[in-house]
């Protein structure tokens, strides 16, 4: 029998952040993940925007050199360079960041249980054996197809991109981010090449029914004459926006499970960290009714409409026309705003401080 105040299912960025914050508020937290190590099978590229690395205590030594320039590539090979007034992106060494965050969790008192799978609200599976669990609240940080969401009848993601990338050896060039806007290569999204001078990531993402990710990645790699592969990553990216019903009487969703990913840019790191902090506040205050996706959805209406527009841009000629419009000053400013604006996921706080006593007596039993 495993007993705890909180069971956090999933040890990605969202789960690790939420678990650490809850333990810092004096709650007994059990953290589980299917993987034997948090450093195994990393799925995210790990591009951190400036607001994230400024606002959260990330290990600076595991963030690569800063990038302040983005080059857009059209289907015909034309380019448009966008330069930010400040450095805006850094690529994280994600396995080491996960290990650092797990160490912080354990120091805060979180109990870590690897190679364990959520089965039901009162059962987990470990080593092929079912084990009982008695907890007050479950936090679903278990990815875009959340088993916690299904078990508690919460909303589930319906719209996905599929992404795949290779990390390759780099020649130590100048840090740069390249985005390839070609629906033949990445329908509904982009291809990318990000090189921070230490390591390079080459990837593609798009709607799964409209392309072969492996074939597209091979074409992009060939065009860039990429070096040897060090690591391959891939997975589903929810792009329908944050879900409405992300909390109930006994469970909350965070990260990809909650759809906390920008529908436009498909970036989810900043959203994962901020929503996890809000979830920890709500649980510590004891009123789970305050946790609803409705309070965030209005902030993403424009991005959801732009996502629809991107999904319809299936013709290279149409994308080429849009690329020409980006050269006009008003459209260029919109592109710069999308890449460089400091707006992020809404930072909502209930006012509960880390280290303050939690209202454990009113948590669901």
């Amino acid at each position: 029998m495993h007993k705890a105040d909180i069971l956090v299912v999933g040890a990605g960025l969202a789960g690790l952040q939420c678990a650490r914050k809850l333990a810092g508020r004096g709650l007994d937290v059990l953290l589980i993940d299917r993987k034997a190590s948090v450093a195994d099978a990393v799925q995210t590229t790990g591009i951190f925007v400036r607001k994230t690395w400024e606002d959260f205590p990330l290990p600076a030594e595991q963030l690569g050199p800063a990038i302040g320039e983005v080059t857009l590539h059209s289907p015909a090979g034309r380019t448009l360079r966008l330069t930010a007034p400040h450095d805006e992106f850094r690529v994280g060494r994600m396995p080491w960041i996960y290990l650092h965050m797990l160490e912080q969790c354990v120091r805060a008192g979180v109990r870590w249980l690897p190679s364990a799978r959520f089965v039901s609200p009162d059962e987990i599976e470990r080593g092929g054996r079912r084990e009982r669990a008695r907890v007050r609240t479950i936090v679903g940080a278990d990815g875009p197809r959340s088993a916690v969401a299904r078990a508690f009848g919460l909303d589930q993601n319906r719209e996905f991109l599929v992404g795949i990338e290779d990390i390759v050896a780099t020649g130590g060039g100048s840090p740069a981010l390249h985005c390839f806007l070609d629906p033949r290569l990445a329908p509904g999204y982009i291809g990318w090449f990000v090189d921070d001078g230490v390591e390079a990531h080459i990837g593609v993402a798009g709607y799964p029914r409209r392309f072969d990710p492996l074939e597209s990645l091979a074409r992009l790699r060939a065009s860039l004459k990429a070096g040897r592969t060090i690591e391959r990553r891939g997975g589903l990216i929810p792009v329908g926006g944050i879900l409405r019903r992300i909390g109930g009487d006994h469970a909350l969703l965070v990260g990809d499970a909650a759809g906390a990913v920008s529908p436009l840019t498909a970036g989810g790191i900043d959203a994962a960290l901020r929503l996890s902090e809000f979830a920890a506040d709500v649980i510590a205050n004891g009123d789970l009714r305050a946790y609803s996706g409705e309070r965030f959805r209005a902030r993403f209406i424009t991005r959801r409409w732009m996502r629809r527009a991107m999904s319809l841009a299936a013709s290279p000629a149409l994308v080429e026309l849009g690329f020409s419009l980006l050269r006009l000053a008003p459209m260029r400013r919109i592109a710069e705003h999308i890449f460089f604006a400091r707006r992020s996921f809404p930072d909502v706080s209930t006012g509960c401080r880390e280290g303050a006593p939690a209202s454990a007596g009113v948590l669901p039993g």
Side-chain angles (χ1 to χ4, degrees):
M1 172 69 74
H2 299 277
K3 295 182 180 180
D5 294 322
I6 313 295
L7 171 64
V8 178
V9 182
L13 283 175
L16 289 164
Q17 179 73 357
C18 194
R20 184 181 71 83
K21 285 291 181 178
L22 287 166
R25 287 157 169 77
L27 293 166
D28 181 15
V29 181
L30 177 64
L31 172 66
I32 70 170
D33 195 282
R34 289 171 175 263
K35 298 184 296 185
S37 168
V38 293
D40 292 343
V42 173
Q43 294 185 323
T44 178
T45 298
I47 298 178
F48 289 79
V49 298
R50 183 158 60 101
K51 187 169 177 60
T52 309
W53 83 64
E54 287 179 348
D55 289 353
F56 293 95
L58 299 164
E61 69 278 8
Q62 299 304 338
L63 295 174
I67 299 171
E69 186 175 278
V70 176
T71 302
L72 306 181
H73 299 256
S74 79
R78 294 188 294 161
T79 61
L80 177 64
R81 183 173 296 174
L82 306 174
T83 303
H86 306 281
D87 292 327
E88 292 292 343
F89 308 104
R90 297 177 74 178
V91 181
R93 313 294 176 237
M94 295 311 296
W96 294 105
I97 289 176
Y98 285 140
L99 289 167
H100 170 84
M101 293 180 71
L102 179 60
E103 180 186 14
Q104 296 301 307
C105 284
V106 173
R107 286 185 176 183
V110 174
R111 288 183 285 142
W112 164 233
L113 199 63
S115 303
R117 182 176 69 90
F118 171 82
V119 176
S120 70
D122 57 3
E123 271 190 325
I124 62 175
E125 183 181 280
R126 191 164 55 124
R129 189 178 69 178
R130 299 280 180 99
E131 299 176 359
R132 302 286 292 175
R134 181 179 295 171
V135 298
R136 293 175 174 177
T137 301
I138 295 177
V139 176
D142 52 338
R145 294 193 182 278
S146 170
V148 174
R150 291 195 302 272
F152 287 92
L154 301 176
D155 286 352
Q156 299 175 52
N157 295 293
R158 303 294 182 191
E159 184 177 359
F160 300 96
L161 301 176
V162 61
I164 185 171
E165 73 167 14
D166 283 344
I167 301 177
V168 301
T170 178
S174 299
L177 172 59
H178 296 263
C179 297
F180 299 85
L181 312 178
D182 189 341
R184 297 165 300 187
L185 187 72
Y189 192 53
I190 60 170
W192 62 89
F193 172 68
V194 54
D195 184 352
D196 64 8
V198 178
E199 64 181 28
H201 298 246
I202 302 173
V204 294
Y207 286 103
R209 295 183 180 179
R210 290 162 52 181
F211 83 132
D212 180 337
L214 286 171
E215 189 272 335
S216 287
L217 179 61
R219 281 196 288 130
L220 182 57
R221 284 189 55 126
S223 70
L224 295 171
K225 298 181 174 59
R228 64 180 179 85
T229 299
I230 300 171
E231 181 184 349
R232 172 161 288 179
R233 299 176 180 177
L236 291 175
I237 308 167
V239 289
I242 191 164
L243 303 172
R244 285 187 170 86
R245 190 160 183 263
I246 57 175
D249 293 337
H250 300 281
L252 306 180
L253 305 178
V254 295
D256 285 3
V261 176
S262 169
L264 178 59
T265 67
I269 289 178
D270 191 78
L273 295 174
R274 294 184 194 279
L275 187 62
S276 290
E277 292 217 331
F278 177 53
D281 276 353
V282 167
I283 293 171
N285 282 340
D287 184 8
L288 271 64
R289 293 170 298 179
Y291 195 75
S292 170
E294 290 287 0
R295 66 192 305 165
F296 305 112
R297 286 181 65 84
R299 294 283 297 273
F300 295 94
I301 290 175
T302 301
R303 291 176 229 186
R304 290 202 300 270
W305 278 107
M306 294 180 77
R307 159 57 41 200
R308 297 291 178 267
M310 287 183 69
S311 70
L312 296 173
S315 164
L318 183 61
V319 175
E320 200 69 43
L321 174 61
F323 195 88
S324 297
L325 294 175
L326 287 178
R327 295 181 179 275
L328 302 176
M331 297 300 292
R332 185 188 184 100
R333 284 195 292 271
I334 291 174
E336 289 172 342
H337 178 79
I338 290 172
F339 280 99
F340 305 136
R342 287 177 57 77
R343 294 178 63 189
S344 64
F345 191 83
D347 194 359
V348 181
S349 174
T350 61
C352 183
R353 302 182 312 277
E354 187 166 351
S359 303
V362 296
L363 290 171

